Amino acid sequence: MATLSENKRAALLSILLLLAGLFVWEMSIPAQKAAGELTEYELLTGGGQPKAGVPPPSQVLAKAWEQLSDPFYDAGPNDKGIGIQIGYSIYRVLTGYLLAALIAIPLGFLIGMSSVAYKALNPFIQVLRPISPLAWMPLALFIIQDSEASAIFVIFICSIWPMLINTAFGVAAVREDWVNVARTHELGPIKTAFTVILPAAAPTIVTGMRISIGIAWLVIVAAEMLVGGTGIGYYVWNEWNNLDLTSVIFSILMIGVVGMLLDAAFGFLQRRVTYIE
Amino acid sequence: MNSFLSIEKLTQRFPDGAGGELTVFDDASFGVEKGEFVVILGHSGCGKSTIMNILAGLAEPTSGVVKMDGELVRGPSLDRGVVFQNYSLLPWLTTLKNVTFGVQARYPDWSKAKVIAHATEFLAMVGLEGDVIHRKPSQLSGGMRQRVSIARAFANHPKLLLLDEPFGALDALTRGTIQDELLKIWGQMEQTVFMITHDIDEAILLADRILLMTNGPFARVAESVEITIPRPRNRTEIIEHPNYYAIRNHLVQFLGKRSKELSGHPSTPGETNRPTPVRIDKTIPADDPEDQQPALRVVNS
């Protein structure tokens, strides 16, 4: 064991924990008794019927195999492949998120450059930021009159705040010396913004973007449960209505995997823009 | 007085936090000639850095003017290069790109290859060559970072180079090496330099002339001491020169005693506030140097 590197030992431990967890889960679910072993009384009271229960991991894995081997099938409104459902969710998240970034980053830049703007807008941001994004849903549905656009609006409103606040903070915290370097080199305001302030504030801005995408992915599941139709959130709720717990557990895992990939993408971006002083 | 750089009746006041005003320096006037290496020496708090920021165009004086080449200094300009004490390199750019950043700003119509060649040449002049120039500043030692900063400033051929305690954050050995580099590159370029320091030996080694500031508040440039030691100078040899200790003692006397005695008085109107020229030269064999230097006040230490 001592000859293995730390990473290898950690990976080994992860696999052992996973196997142990799956084993305990599989064992803790009572097996359905075969009809032949039942007493007459049990048969009369419906004991022979298949019982709804938490499915064992073996069934979930079988479901995952079945779904992932054909992720894009489309057999009507209530029967679409997991790939299509996740695709809808990602489309909504990215649309709302990109709209938020388009507004939050330039606006955050302006707020960060001017301490008056910072102080003037801060009370509004502080009041609007803690509002649960789903609380906007009724208002959005009434004003926009379209459930699809309302879901995107909810993503927009929840992902705007971390990006706005982090951009403003990052821009305001750019070291005076670096701005002086730009000034003594006679760079204009636009050039200074792009060649000095943006790279200097980039780590803080990308951190805000990473927090935002995480929140957006959390919120989309709840939003889709409300608006329905398509998406991974709708899929979870639909399978619950079908009492198909195997699919519910499978989709929960998929939500986790996609969330992890989105976070990893921004983690990569973050490492690219980080600098050491 | 028509110096290349002339500072006239410069006054800086700040609110003192208690509703009143704090006058950092009052009616400071002096000049710097083209190609001259001038060092300003004074205690901290006498406004050296404020003067530097005004010369760089990064700060506005309360009153008074700065003229360079006959033109008023208004705001920062590429004609006045600055080397800051804390290097002020952009940490997300490599060493080379920190220099090309400046060169591109100075010569926007140069080709990319020409900009890189120019930057590489100046980095080589301060002893940075090879792989080092592709490293980020965080991977360089303090001394190397300050070399990059010096290369960036010289590569832009500014009319005036401002050095704000450039060696303040470096250890004594590194400081010595970079002072030599600075002397070498300055010797090749005939660059006008204005530098702040509080290191007396550094000032004597580098300067043509040392301006002495009295303590603040109401600081002023009291004396202008000519360094009568011929160039090229070398740190190990200049201490043998007969003038070295005479000048050094004069500077120590000033900073230790007279800078306090002369401080704290608002200037009286009509009084000339130019620094008194001081020339100390022990190599002239006369006993009474005042006969030979009638225009100058000689201070015997």
Side-chain angles (χ1 to χ4, degrees):
Chain A
M1 279 302 267
T3 55
L4 289 175
S5 75
E6 195 174 286
N7 285 344
K8 279 182 186 154
R9 275 184 284 164
L12 203 65
L13 187 62
S14 289
I15 292 167
L16 283 174
L17 283 172
L18 177 67
L19 291 176
L22 290 176
F23 179 76
V24 171
W25 178 7
E26 184 88 40
M27 286 300 114
S28 62
I29 289 157
Q32 194 97 27
K33 283 181 185 172
E37 294 171 11
L38 297 174
T39 61
E40 193 173 352
Y41 174 74
E42 280 174 321
L43 281 172
L44 283 172
T45 53
Q49 296 299 314
K51 247 200 280 183
V54 177
S58 51
Q59 278 182 34
V60 176
L61 282 176
K63 184 81 188 176
W65 178 253
E66 177 199 321
Q67 284 282 347
L68 292 177
S69 52
D70 185 15
F72 298 108
Y73 77 90
D74 188 351
N78 273 340
D79 193 8
K80 292 185 204 298
I82 188 82
I84 293 181
Q85 305 287 23
I86 288 178
Y88 273 112
S89 297
I90 290 178
Y91 154 74
R92 289 186 187 121
V93 163
L94 290 185
T95 312
Y97 180 83
L98 289 177
L99 285 173
L102 278 179
I103 291 177
I105 293 172
L107 189 64
F109 236 87
L110 293 178
I111 297 175
M113 301 277 256
S114 142
S115 54
V116 176
Y118 195 100
K119 283 177 184 159
L121 288 170
N122 201 35
F124 298 106
I125 295 172
Q126 294 307 331
V127 168
L128 293 172
R129 190 173 59 101
I131 298 171
S132 165
L134 291 173
W136 293 100
M137 187 64 102
L139 198 61
L141 285 170
F142 176 75
I143 294 172
I144 304 173
Q145 309 239 327
D146 176 71
S147 64
E148 175 78 26
S150 298
I152 291 172
F153 172 77
V154 166
I155 295 303
F156 166 83
I157 204 81
C158 77
S159 45
I160 198 167
W161 309 116
M163 284 196 271
L164 185 64
I165 292 166
N166 268 43
T167 306
F169 178 77
V171 168
V174 170
R175 289 221 338 237
E176 186 75 24
D177 300 331
W178 300 336
V179 180
N180 281 344
V181 168
R183 289 180 65 196
T184 52
H185 286 92
E186 287 184 35
L187 299 188
I190 303 289
K191 197 130 195 247
T192 304
F194 279 101
T195 57
V196 176
I197 295 175
L198 188 63
T204 324
I205 296 174
V206 175
T207 304
M209 293 173 81
R210 195 175 175 184
I211 297 169
S212 279
I213 197 81
I215 294 176
W217 189 246
L218 289 180
V219 167
I220 192 66
V221 176
E224 284 170 348
M225 282 182 180
L226 280 177
V227 299
T230 47
I232 190 76
Y234 167 74
Y235 179 82
V236 174
W237 202 249
N238 195 35
E239 296 304 328
W240 162 238
N241 287 335
N242 294 339
L243 272 182
D244 183 355
L245 283 172
T246 318
S247 293
V248 169
I249 294 174
F250 166 65
S251 49
I252 289 174
L253 286 176
M254 289 309 294
I255 293 170
V257 169
V258 174
M260 185 185 76
L261 292 176
L262 287 173
D263 186 65
F266 279 89
F268 174 75
L269 187 61
Q270 202 173 24
R271 280 192 298 281
R272 288 295 302 274
V273 298
T274 298
Y275 55 83
I276 310 160
E277 272 184 46
Chain B
M1 289 277 252
N2 276 321
S3 304
F4 166 69
L5 176 75
S6 76
I7 285 89
E8 283 156 27
K9 290 183 164 297
L10 210 60
T11 301
Q12 183 73 57
R13 295 193 180 88
F14 292 118
D16 65 359
E21 270 189 335
L22 179 74
T23 305
V24 186
F25 48 83
D26 196 18
D27 268 2
S29 303
F30 58 92
V32 175
E33 299 306 323
K34 205 173 177 83
E36 214 180 3
F37 197 129
V38 173
V39 169
I40 193 158
L41 203 58
H43 287 276
S44 47
C46 68
K48 298 189 299 280
S49 288
T50 314
I51 289 186
M52 183 64 88
N53 282 338
I54 292 168
L55 293 186
L58 295 169
E60 289 267 318
T62 310
S63 67
V65 288
V66 176
K67 279 186 193 162
M68 188 171 78
D69 246 359
E71 278 179 44
L72 272 183
V73 164
R74 278 202 203 91
S77 152
L78 281 162
D79 285 337
R80 274 162 284 121
V82 190
V83 174
F84 299 94
Q85 181 180 4
N86 49 15
Y87 329 128
S88 289
L89 300 175
L90 304 176
W92 54 90
L93 297 178
T94 62
T95 298
L96 179 63
K97 287 201 172 131
N98 261 292
V99 181
T100 55
F101 170 88
V103 179
Q104 262 164 352
R106 180 72 171 176
Y107 307 104
D109 42 346
W110 279 15
S111 73
K112 208 173 170 189
K114 195 174 178 190
V115 168
I116 290 175
H118 186 76
T120 316
E121 183 195 331
F122 275 82
L123 281 167
M125 281 166 91
V126 292
L128 294 174
E129 283 172 287
D131 278 350
V132 180
I133 63 170
H134 299 295
R135 287 198 212 152
K136 298 269 173 75
S138 58
Q139 294 164 300
L140 302 179
S141 66
M144 285 162 118
R145 288 186 211 183
Q146 195 55 288
R147 286 192 171 112
V148 180
S149 189
I150 289 169
R152 179 173 68 186
F154 273 97
N156 272 6
H157 299 292
K159 286 183 184 168
L160 172 67
L161 183 60
L162 300 164
L163 305 172
D164 186 358
E165 292 193 41
F167 312 120
L170 302 177
D171 65 89
L173 290 176
T174 315
R175 194 183 301 183
T177 333
I178 304 186
Q179 283 164 359
D180 292 342
E181 306 265 5
L182 179 66
L183 272 182
K184 206 176 78 192
I185 194 169
W186 177 75
Q188 293 168 21
M189 307 257 312
E190 295 177 359
Q191 177 75 56
T192 313
V193 178
F194 184 82
M195 172 168 143
I196 290 183
T197 185
H198 43 225
D199 182 332
I200 292 175
D201 296 309
E202 177 176 291
I204 300 174
L205 174 67
L206 298 173
D208 290 320
R209 204 147 57 81
I210 296 178
L211 299 173
L212 291 170
M213 276 190 95
T214 64
N215 292 1
F218 299 107
R220 60 193 188 89
V221 181
E223 287 186 2
S224 159
V225 181
E226 190 185 332
I227 305 302
T228 46
I229 300 174
R231 293 184 191 268
R233 296 180 195 152
N234 177 309
R235 76 183 55 261
T236 48
E237 283 162 20
I238 56 164
I239 52 171
E240 313 281 343
H241 196 275
N243 289 343
Y244 183 81
Y245 280 103
I247 294 169
R248 194 175 192 281
N249 288 345
H250 179 76
L251 300 178
V252 171
Q253 276 289 321
F254 182 91
L255 291 176
K257 228 169 119 195
R258 294 177 45 236
S259 65
K260 243 173 283 162
E261 293 164 7
L262 293 167
S263 77
H265 308 293
S267 62
T268 43
E271 180 191 6
T272 58
N273 232 340
R274 299 207 162 265
T276 321
V278 176
R279 187 170 204 279
I280 301 166
D281 197 345
K282 299 277 183 186
T283 54
I284 295 169
D287 286 335
D288 188 2
E290 245 169 271
D291 293 342
Q292 297 180 6
Q293 304 283 331
L296 300 170
R297 188 167 71 90
V298 175
V299 177
N300 289 309
S301 41

